[in-house]
Amino acid sequence: MINRSVKNAEEAIAGITDNMTLLVGGFGLCGIPENCINALVQSGVKGLTCISNNAGVDDFGLGLLLQNKQIKKMISSYVGENAEFERQMLSGELEVELIPQGTLATRALAAGYGMPVIYTPAGVGTEVAAGKEVRNFNGKDYLMEYAFDADFAIVKAWKGDTTGNLVFRHTARNFNPLMAMAGKITIAEVEELVEPGQLDPDHIHTPGIYVHRIFKGQVFEKRIEQRTVIKR
Amino acid sequence: MINRSVKNAEEAIAGITDNMTLLVGGFGLCGIPENCINALVQSGVKGLTCISNNAGVDDFGLGLLLQNKQIKKMISSYVGENAEFERQMLSGELEVELIPQGTLATRALAAGYGMPVIYTPAGVGTEVAAGKEVRNFNGKDYLMEYAFDADFAIVKAWKGDTTGNLVFRHTARNFNPLMAMAGKITIAEVEELVEPGQLDPDHIHTPGIYVHRIFKGQVFEKRIEQRTVIKR
Amino acid sequence: MLDKNGIAKRIAREVQDGYYVNLGIGIPTLVANYIPEGMHVVLQSENGILGMGPFPVEGTEDADLINAGKQTVTLLPGSSIFDSAMSFGMIRSQKVNLTILGAMEVSEFGDIANWKIPGKMVKGMGGAMDLVASAKNIIVAMQHVNKAGESKLLPKCELPITGLRCVKKIVTELAVLDVLPQGGFKLLERAPGVSVEQIVKATAGKLIVEGDIPEMVL
Amino acid sequence: MLDKNGIAKRIAREVQDGYYVNLGIGIPTLVANYIPEGMHVVLQSENGILGMGPFPVEGTEDADLINAGKQTVTLLPGSSIFDSAMSFGMIRSQKVNLTILGAMEVSEFGDIANWKIPGKMVKGMGGAMDLVASAKNIIVAMQHVNKAGESKLLPKCELPITGLRCVKKIVTELAVLDVLPQGGFKLLERAPGVSVEQIVKATAGKLIVEGDIPEMVL
């Protein structure tokens, strides 16, 4: 079997240089590639365009890259809970493109499935439709949206094997399998890295063909953004 | 939880009437909904259009419906290994539309994902392109292909629960999850029907929202089409 | 006049047995508390859950298990997990029977505005534009008037819209109203103790009042 | 002159470490037998396997585990199973590095015909049209001439085509040839004991012969 494992986050992010476009998995702080983000902070790479549903919080996730002014542009569906983000956006330092969440997911799917565009009704008649082709099928209007075209994808999985197969846990799946499919080069960090044959072939969410580098993350903080509980 | 289980194949196929269009899961004889097919033979329903990658063999799978002259039209990618099929096709009794296998899969996906059309390069410049829109994206030509629009889907899974969640085994997965997503009404037959909670939520291939009726098949012959083995 | 829980309770009566339901943040989330025992309803969370359960018991919360509002939740027996493309796939293909969400404004043609206030920090539309563009049955849960006392039921949305001609029904602290395809808010029910006149006064868009308007039953 | 196994053996030399490869039915299937020990290659089967292994030992065959040729197969450690949309998704997005398939005709521009003979029963294109339209590296394994002794390397395909300008390389019982983007079959190697003249005679399309043509090393 093909071995796609690398030593650590530093080795995994090799080749990510200034002004590149990155697809980043995760929803809120759930299932984000913490180790890759930390390594990118260390690397000092600048001018990044990040395609990610959210932008982290001030001191965690993509917020760390924002604090460090390494991000030029965010393409996201929702970017609340981040004061530094707000400051950079309002001052014009940070470019922000807001797109519907389903459009974000499906543009990644399209890239992974080799489909140049998809049509979605989301955003028809709104400012999201500005400059886009609108086309009517069966009496309903749809926007034409392009597949993402990004240099790298960084994703986080629960388990992976050295051939790059990935398994996600609960809602930490979210955008991760989609971003993984959409990257020209895809980097996966996992909580548990196993040998080929230890994952059930029927349970693999992302086949290794979509994953170019895989490593066991050193630390997973897995911070909870909204701890909502019922008292015992 | 919603209970979508029905008693048997006869109950499951209720409402499938003459001249309807059916999506049928399976690849060759692998993962085909044997019990539903047998029930359709018994029902005598006629004039069916079947969208299925293959058309079974003379005495098994969709071949049984062909023998019985219940199929008006087949939409498939490959239809060999079936003498009665060939006879009906050459005599003009049976209408056949051949489409590329990936196009077949992706048109079903499109239906399940609410996308009216997809673009694929498969068939550009061939007779498959006749009458279809060709569009160039990034220097490459693509055909526009419509999402399937079918009345019922019949699929076969390994395990399922009463809320309709499905798990497939090995390559018996094939077109089954796609056809399941694409049906207006989807019928699933399973080898093992369990209670909600007995399937791992992370391992479910087809969420129950896509499955309207589910039952435990009475008999699964699971015939092998090409038995290729290494001698002991 | 209803409080937030009253609005949620009234909306819960629109939920039918066998429904798959997507609940937005705020009042819609409360609807889950009022679904009658024995009614089989599956909650969809657009980050990738079918069969979402209540908040976890303290100490059992799981960072890998959150809802679309980023709150820790639980899974019920029969639940399933999927990626965001499939999640919006099932929304787009109208497999979700009912979508309940909040709004800043609704027009008398069912246009909805709920994502952006010009001049204020814009957080984004999240999944709202996908939901409103796709769902076949959308109920809006909101206050009838805004904090400045201005009606949120308008002839035309003034804020940037989220989706066109999509809202089917509105439940506010004052009333239940249908949005008619040809335009207009048709008054169906009054909240307890609320008069038709109060509703007329609080509705800027075309209000249709025909015959006796019953008080709602909760 | 090569036999079928010889053609497969020569094609196996085009396979590189780390490749994901899709093998068509017939001679291409044989290529798997000649991939050197220690070279890490993953076979994709378009019905939904990565990491396909050899045929099963008698008695262990499984009706739920077949390849795209409907033959019973096995799974290697590290394999994965997926549905047909993802399978053709990874083909379409060019994640599969090499596609090897048979052909009835190839034109000097790389057009391929391999699915239909007018007047004969047409079985269908299966996944061939998807593969040839998407793959970035396509090698054709075929006989240089058909049973009637006519060349299968033509100026233009006469049979209904499967895909346009897609074949990059051809290996026959006589020769290895590149298909040039500007048109023409560039002769790279002769099969053992085969002369350039034999290849010229068997090639109807534009053949480019430059310098000494080495005999192939197997």
Side-chain angles (χ1 to χ4, degrees), chain B residues 21-62:
Chain B
T21 299
L22 308 186
L23 297 148
V24 184
F27 180 93
L29 301 182
C30 181
I32 60 172
E34 306 180 21
N35 292 275
C36 283
I37 291 170
N38 290 337
L40 287 170
V41 171
Q42 290 304 315
S43 80
V45 59
K46 289 218 163 12
L48 297 175
T49 295
C50 290
I51 303 170
S52 169
N53 191 57
N54 314 92
V57 293
D58 276 322
D59 61 343
F60 195 59
L62 290 180

Side-chain angles (χ1 to χ4, degrees), chain C residues 188-205:
Chain C
L188 299 180
E189 298 172 19
R190 296 171 293 115
V194 172
S195 69
V196 169
E197 290 63 39
Q198 280 176 279
I199 297 163
V200 169
K201 218 180 131 200
T203 306

Side-chain angles (χ1 to χ4, degrees), chain A residues 76-97:
Chain A
S76 302
S77 88
Y78 192 83
V79 293
E81 356 296 357
N82 194 319
E84 174 63 13
F85 184 99
E86 191 166 341
R87 194 198 62 72
Q88 289 185 21
M89 182 175 164
L90 295 176
S91 73
E93 286 167 66
L94 178 68
E95 198 182 335
V96 177
E97 186 181 341

